Amino acid sequence: MRTLTVDLNERSYPIYIGRGIRQQKALFDEAIHGKQVMIVTNDTIAPLYLDAMVDMLSADYKVDTCILPDGEEFKTLDTYGTIMTSLLEAKHNRTTTVIALGGGVVGDMAGFAAATYQRGVPFIQVPTTLLSQVDSSVGGKTGVNHPLGKNMIGAFYQPQAVIIDTDSLLSLPQRELSAGMAEVIKYGLICDVPFFDWLEQEMPALMSLDNDKISEAIYRSCLAKANVVAQDEREGGVRAILNLGHTFGHAIETQMGYGNWLHGEAVAAGSVLAMDLSWRMGNITDEDFRRTVDLFKAAKLPILPPVNMTLANFVERMALDKKVLDGSLRLVLLGALGEAIVTSDFPMEDFNACLTDALEASKQANLAIS
Ligand code: NAD
Ligand code: GLY
C-alpha cells in the first residue's frame, strides 16, 4: 500500500492506494469518529461492494446505507435530499461518519451531504472509478448539478481519508476506464512532462489494467492534485489549472444532457480544444499537439466535440463557467507543454476558429462513418 498526504494543516488527510484495501478495517477505524456510519452508494455499486463493507464495519459501528439511483442525471438537489432523509430517518447525530462508496457522482453528492448535514459531519471517500480515484475524491470539491450548469451548487469540504482500492477497477466498464484516463492525461499536460512521456509509453498496459502501472498512474495523479490543492484549497488561483478542458467540457456535458457524454469524455474533447487554442497562440508546438491527440486516442477517448453542437451553444454555455470573472471568460490553456496558465487573454478569432474547425471536423468524421 502507498500513502500520500493532502497537506492542509488541521484539515490534512491521508490518501491510501493499494489492492484490496477497501476491506482493511483499520484504515476506516482511524477515520471514523463516532459510532454511527452512513454508507452512501448507488444501485450499480451496491450489489458489487456494499455487503462486504457493511459486514466489516457492523462489528463496531451502527451501519446504515443509502442507495441512490445511478447516473449523472441524478446528481441533483433531489437526490441530495434523499441522503438527508436517510440520515434523519436513521437518527444520525453530529458524530456520524458518511462513507462515499462509488464514483465521482456518489462522492460529490455524499460529500455535499456530509458538508451540510447538521452543519457538517466527517466523511470518507472510497472511490471506485478511475476518475474518482485520480481526481474527484481528492481536494474537497463537493456538490450537485443544476439544469442550467454543472456543479453549480456545492461546498469545499475535505474528507477524513481517501481509501483507493485498485481492485475495484476490475469491475469497471472500459468506457469508464477511458473517461478516468482523461483526467490522468490532464496532469501530464498541466504540470508533469515526464509523466506525460511515461503515459505515452504505458497507455496499452494501463488500458489493460496492469496493476503496478495503474497504481503508479493513480499515485502520480493524486500527488499532482494534492500538491495543487495544498497551495490553493478554495481555488483562489493555481487550483484552476486542474480544470484544463473543463470549461469546454462542462458546456458539452450540459448541452448534451447529463450522462450522455461522460465527464471524462467531455474533458478529453475539451482538452483537445484547449490544446488547439494554445497551439494557435504559438504556445505549444505541432508535435506537442499531435502527441496529445494521439494519447487521447490511445486511451479510446473522443478528440472532437459532439457533431450536433454549434459555436453558439459553446459560447452560451461557457459564459456560465465558474471561472468567468467580471464578465470575461477565463480559460485554462498551456503556456508550454507541462505548464498550464489561466487566462482571459486569448484572441477571440482563434477561439472562434478552433471551435468552428473542430465542429466541422466532427461533421466530416460523422459523414465518413454514416
Ligand atoms: P460515476 O460516478 O457516474 O461512475 C461511472 C459509472 O461507473 C457509474 O455508472 C457507476 O455506477 C459505475 N461504477 C462505479 N464504480 C464502479 C465499479 N468499480 N465497477 C463497476 N461500475 C462502477 O462517474 P465518475 O466518472 O466516477 O465521476 C464523474 C463525476 O465526478 C462527475 O459528476 C464530475 O462532475 C465529478 N467530478 C468531480 C470532481 C471533484 O473535484 N469533486 C473532479 C472530477 C469530476
Ligand atoms: N477537478 C478540479 C478540482 O478539483 O479542482
Side-chain angles (χ1 to χ4, degrees), residues 44-254:
T44 301
I45 301 152
L48 296 169
Y49 303 123
L50 182 58
D51 285 353
M53 186 171 283
V54 171
D55 288 350
M56 172 181 74
L57 295 176
S58 293
D60 284 331
Y61 307 97
K62 174 188 178 293
V63 182
D64 292 295
T65 62
C66 174
I67 302 176
L68 306 174
D70 184 8
E72 182 77 34
E73 65 276 29
F74 296 107
K75 189 178 165 183
T76 59
L77 276 175
D78 267 2
T79 313
Y80 157 85
T82 303
I83 306 174
M84 290 294 159
T85 304
S86 298
L87 284 161
L88 286 165
E89 281 180 350
K91 300 194 168 36
H92 281 247
N93 59 39
R94 292 176 98 171
T95 63
T96 188
T97 299
V98 173
I99 298 180
L101 172 67
V105 170
V106 165
D108 281 12
M109 281 196 292
F112 186 41
T116 46
Y117 184 67
Q118 300 197 13
R119 301 200 179 88
V121 296
F123 90 110
I124 301 172
Q125 289 271 18
V126 186
T128 59
T129 60
L130 180 63
L131 188 138
S132 55
Q133 296 183 347
V134 299
D135 193 351
S136 62
S137 63
V138 175
K141 280 190 182 176
T142 70
V144 297
N145 299 329
H146 186 279
L148 292 178
K150 270 281 291 177
N151 298 332
M152 281 292 162
I153 303 158
F156 285 99
Y157 194 65
Q158 302 296 341
Q160 300 298 310
V162 181
I163 299 172
I164 300 176
D165 186 340
T166 53
D167 277 352
S168 53
L169 299 178
L170 296 172
S171 56
L172 196 66
Q174 191 249 285
R175 189 177 167 200
E176 299 293 347
L177 181 69
S178 292
M181 216 54 88
E183 304 280 13
V184 174
I185 294 170
K186 173 188 81 179
Y187 294 112
L189 290 172
I190 61 174
C191 64
D192 191 347
V193 176
F195 186 44
F196 183 84
D197 297 342
W198 182 84
L199 288 171
E200 283 184 313
Q201 221 179 308
E202 303 295 352
M203 192 51 75
L206 290 167
M207 291 303 287
S208 56
L209 284 183
D210 175 304
N211 192 266
D212 288 347
K213 303 281 196 260
I214 206 88
S215 298
E216 178 67 12
I218 294 168
Y219 181 83
R220 301 264 302 253
S221 300
C222 288
L223 190 63
K225 180 146 188 186
N227 198 7
V228 172
V229 169
Q231 292 172 59
D232 177 22
E233 183 181 5
R234 296 174 71 90
E235 202 167 308
V238 68
R239 182 165 179 166
I241 68 169
L242 296 172
N243 288 324
L244 177 74
H246 285 57
T247 306
F248 294 103
H250 286 167
I252 295 173
E253 281 185 89
T254 313

Side-chain angles (χ1 to χ4, degrees), residues 235-279:
E235 202 167 308
V238 68
R239 182 165 179 166
I241 68 169
L242 296 172
N243 288 324
L244 177 74
H246 285 57
T247 306
F248 294 103
H250 286 167
I252 295 173
E253 281 185 89
T254 313
Q255 182 71 30
M256 297 307 288
Y258 297 129
N260 289 319
W261 270 56
L262 300 182
H263 176 73
E265 292 171 342
V267 166
S271 297
V272 173
L273 286 164
M275 292 294 284
D276 187 344
L277 183 50
S278 307
W279 169 75

Side-chain angles (χ1 to χ4, degrees), residues 298-359:
K300 300 190 174 22
L301 283 159
I303 52 154
L304 291 170
V307 67
N308 46 352
M309 273 185 79
T310 63
L311 177 60
N313 294 151
F314 273 100
V315 171
E316 188 190 335
R317 298 283 180 192
M318 289 169 80
L320 267 180
D321 188 79
K322 291 194 280 307
K323 283 185 296 306
V324 168
L325 196 66
D326 299 331
S328 72
L329 178 63
R330 290 187 310 145
L331 291 174
V332 185
L333 301 175
L334 292 200
L337 191 67
E339 275 179 43
I341 51 171
V342 185
T343 181
S344 50
D345 188 16
F346 49 85
M348 216 47 203
E349 58 273 23
D350 283 346
F351 171 83
N352 287 336
C354 100
L355 273 166
T356 308
D357 289 357
L359 289 164

